Amino acid sequence: MSKKIVVPDLLVKHVSFEGREVPWDLKIFMYQGGSAKHARFFERAIQAGELGQPLLERLDLVVKIHEFICDRTAAGEPRLSTAGLLRSLRLFFKFADEECPLLTLETLEDCYLQWTASLRYRVRIKGAASFKRDRKSQRLTIRSANYYASNVGQIVDAVLGRATGIMQHAGLAVRNQRKSVSGVQSEKQSLSDTFTFGHMLQDICDALTIDVINNSALPLEINLRNGKRITLSNKRHDCANSTFPVSYTHLTLPTIHYKCRSRWSPDH
C-alpha cells in the first residue's frame, strides 16, 4: 500500500468568506488537472482519486506563490485584485498541466513564455476559428491577454526574484498610458482656447441684458476682458425680412428685431 502524501496548508490567509463561499486553496495547483476543477468539487475529486497523487516537484513553487499572495492579502490587498490573480493562475496552471509536464521553479520561466505565446496566438485568431469550443483555440482580446499575462508575470518575478519584469519578454503589446509631451501641450492649448472662448461668451451675455436688447440702438459695442471689442451693427440683412433658414439649435447672438427675438425672449 502506497504511503499517502501530505500537502501543507495552502489556504489563502487574511481573507474572510461567508455562507457557502469556498475558501481559496492553492492546493489545486499541486494536482494534475486540479486547476480545471471547480473549487466546490475539488476535495471530492481528491477523495475519489480522480486527480491522483500531488506533484511534489511543484511544492516549492506553489509554496512560494502562496507566500506571495498571503503577503499581499496581509498588507490589505483588495479581495477583487486577489481573485483576479487566482483566476489568472488557474489559466496558467491549466496550460501547464497540458503543455509543461514538469513545472518547477527551474522551468517556470520557460513555461510562462510558452503560455504567453499561446495567448498571442489566441489574440491573432480571426473568423470562424474564434468560435471553436476548444478554449485554447478561442479568440482572446489583447486587453484580456495582457491582464492575465501581467498578473502571472508579477508572481513569476516575485517568486524568482527577477530584477526585470518577465512581462517584457511576453511579446504582448502593452499600450503606454502616459501621454507624450506634445500631447500634454496640445491638451493645455486646447483648454486655454476653451477658457478664452468661454470668457468671451460670458462677456457678451453680461453686456446684452434685456434692457440693452430692447432699448439700445445699433451699432452696439461690447468690451471684452482681454481688451478687445465687438461691434454689433445692422449693416447686414434686415433680420425681419431675411429669407435664409435659421437654426435655433445653435448659439446665435441676440438681435433687437422682434421677429428674430421671439424665439429666445423670456416673454415667448
Side-chain angles (χ1 to χ4, degrees), residues 203-204 207-208 212 216-224 228-233:
D203 292 340
I204 293 173
L208 295 179
V212 170
S216 297
L218 296 179
L220 178 65
E221 291 187 345
I222 299 175
N223 294 317
L224 303 179
K228 295 183 180 181
R229 180 180 300 170
I230 293 178
T231 301
L232 303 181
S233 67

Side-chain angles (χ1 to χ4, degrees), residues 155-176:
I155 295 175
V156 172
D157 294 338
V159 165
L160 299 181
R162 289 178 53 91
T164 58
I166 195 172
M167 180 66 181
Q168 65 182 331
H169 302 295
L172 292 165
V174 182
R175 188 173 64 178
N176 187 4

Side-chain angles (χ1 to χ4, degrees), residues 1-6 53:
M1 184 175 180
S2 59
K3 183 179 179 181
K4 185 177 180 180
I5 302 173
V6 179
Q53 292 293 318

Side-chain angles (χ1 to χ4, degrees), residues 188-205:
K188 288 182 178 179
Q189 181 63 42
S190 177
L191 186 61
S192 175
D193 292 343
T194 301
F195 277 118
T196 301
F197 181 66
H199 290 155
M200 181 191 71
L201 293 180
Q202 185 63 55
D203 292 340
I204 293 173
C205 292

Side-chain angles (χ1 to χ4, degrees), residues 212-251:
V212 170
I213 293 172
N214 288 331
N215 303 315
S216 297
L218 296 179
L220 178 65
E221 291 187 345
I222 299 175
N223 294 317
L224 303 179
R225 69 187 66 189
N226 60 4
K228 295 183 180 181
R229 180 180 300 170
I230 293 178
T231 301
L232 303 181
S233 67
N234 56 358
K235 290 183 179 180
R236 298 188 63 184
H237 301 287
D238 177 35
C239 186
N241 300 318
S242 296
T243 58
F244 56 82
V246 178
S247 172
Y248 295 99
T249 61
H250 293 79
L251 178 64

Side-chain angles (χ1 to χ4, degrees), residues 109 112-113 115-117 119-120 142-158 162-175:
E109 284 190 13
Y112 173 83
L113 294 176
W115 176 58
T116 53
L119 296 181
R120 292 199 306 273
I142 185 63
R143 182 176 180 179
S144 295
N146 278 320
Y147 175 76
Y148 297 138
S150 62
N151 274 343
V152 178
Q154 63 178 304
I155 295 175
V156 172
D157 294 338
R162 289 178 53 91
T164 58
I166 195 172
M167 180 66 181
Q168 65 182 331
H169 302 295
L172 292 165
V174 182
R175 188 173 64 178

Side-chain angles (χ1 to χ4, degrees), residues 12-214:
V12 176
K13 306 295 192 300
H14 314 293
V15 180
S16 59
F17 299 91
E18 300 178 356
R20 300 185 61 189
E21 288 183 320
V22 180
W24 296 332
D25 193 345
L26 302 196
K27 188 165 58 175
I28 60 173
F29 302 137
M30 288 293 300
Y31 291 83
Q32 183 78 23
S35 55
K37 286 290 183 182
H38 192 286
R40 195 174 301 281
F41 308 115
F42 173 69
E43 287 295 338
R44 187 185 305 173
I46 292 179
Q47 297 299 327
E50 297 177 13
L51 302 177
Q53 292 293 318
L55 306 175
L56 291 184
E57 64 271 16
R58 292 185 179 182
L59 184 58
D60 290 342
L61 170 60
V62 177
V63 167
K64 283 184 174 292
I65 293 175
H66 178 257
E67 291 173 352
F68 171 79
I69 293 178
C70 287
D71 286 345
R72 290 173 65 112
T73 55
E77 174 87 2
R79 176 170 173 160
L80 190 62
S81 298
T82 306
L85 284 177
L86 295 176
R87 185 165 58 251
S88 302
L89 274 173
R90 271 185 174 268
L91 293 176
F92 172 66
F93 273 88
K94 282 180 184 178
F95 175 86
D97 286 343
E98 298 177 8
E99 306 296 337
C100 304
L102 185 64
L103 179 59
T104 65
L105 285 170
E106 289 72 25
T107 62
L108 178 59
E109 284 190 13
D110 182 62
C111 186
Y112 173 83
L113 294 176
Q114 289 184 49
W115 176 58
T116 53
S118 73
L119 296 181
R120 292 199 306 273
Y121 168 75
R122 291 176 60 184
V123 169
R124 293 195 299 267
I125 294 176
K126 295 181 180 180
S130 63
F131 298 99
K132 290 183 178 181
R133 290 188 176 182
D134 180 10
R135 188 171 293 274
K136 292 188 299 183
S137 300
Q138 287 180 350
R139 190 175 187 278
L140 194 67
T141 64
I142 185 63
R143 182 176 180 179
S144 295
N146 278 320
Y147 175 76
Y148 297 138
S150 62
N151 274 343
V152 178
Q154 63 178 304
I155 295 175
V156 172
D157 294 338
V159 165
L160 299 181
R162 289 178 53 91
T164 58
I166 195 172
M167 180 66 181
Q168 65 182 331
H169 302 295
L172 292 165
V174 182
R175 188 173 64 178
N176 187 4
Q177 299 296 328
R178 296 183 61 186
K179 292 181 172 62
S180 64
V181 174
S182 60
V184 172
Q185 293 299 329
S186 176
E187 286 192 1
K188 288 182 178 179
Q189 181 63 42
S190 177
L191 186 61
S192 175
D193 292 343
T194 301
F195 277 118
T196 301
F197 181 66
H199 290 155
M200 181 191 71
L201 293 180
Q202 185 63 55
D203 292 340
I204 293 173
C205 292
D206 290 342
L208 295 179
T209 62
I210 296 298
D211 181 65
V212 170
I213 293 172
N214 288 331

